[in-house]
Amino acid sequence: MEESFFIDVAYLGKDLEFEGWLIVSGYLHKIEMDIAGTKVLFEPDEERNYRALVSLDDVERARLDIGLLQAIASRLESLLKVS
């Protein structure tokens, strides 16, 4: 089984922690995270900024906060972006 890791995210005055898994495919990678029971993939774009890949149905069903997804993507960027 793949090993997981945890990242901390400060959002709306709260310190939150999310479990993630690194998925590597050739030269590309994605990070899968469990957010409110929904699996969300984060991947870097052409400028190496992270974006969340999740369907609108999952956002509505799980009541995912778009701001939280943006905060997680920003945190991933700050941890993984190499100048």
Side-chain angles (χ1 to χ4, degrees):
M1 182 175 203
E2 298 174 7
E3 288 193 41
S4 63
F5 59 92
F6 291 88
I7 67 162
D8 58 314
V9 177
Y11 183 66
L12 296 178
K14 296 180 182 176
D15 291 325
L16 306 171
E17 187 175 67
F18 296 96
E19 187 172 15
W21 296 266
L22 178 64
I23 300 168
V24 178
S25 177
Y27 294 106
L28 304 175
H29 75 276
K30 295 180 183 180
I31 296 171
E32 181 180 291
M33 303 196 85
D34 184 349
I35 303 169
T38 300
K39 292 186 180 186
V40 178
L41 290 174
F42 290 87
E43 69 175 13
D45 62 15
E46 298 79 26
E47 296 173 358
R48 296 191 317 205
N49 297 313
Y50 282 81
R51 59 183 170 206
L53 300 176
V54 61
S55 73
L56 184 57
D57 289 339
D58 284 342
V59 169
E60 292 173 352
R61 180 187 50 77
R63 296 184 180 170
L64 294 176
D65 184 342
I66 301 299
L68 175 60
L69 296 178
Q70 291 170 335
I72 294 170
S74 292
R75 181 67 174 137
L76 288 170
E77 288 170 22
S78 72
L79 291 171
L80 301 174
K81 200 169 195 178
V82 177
S83 304

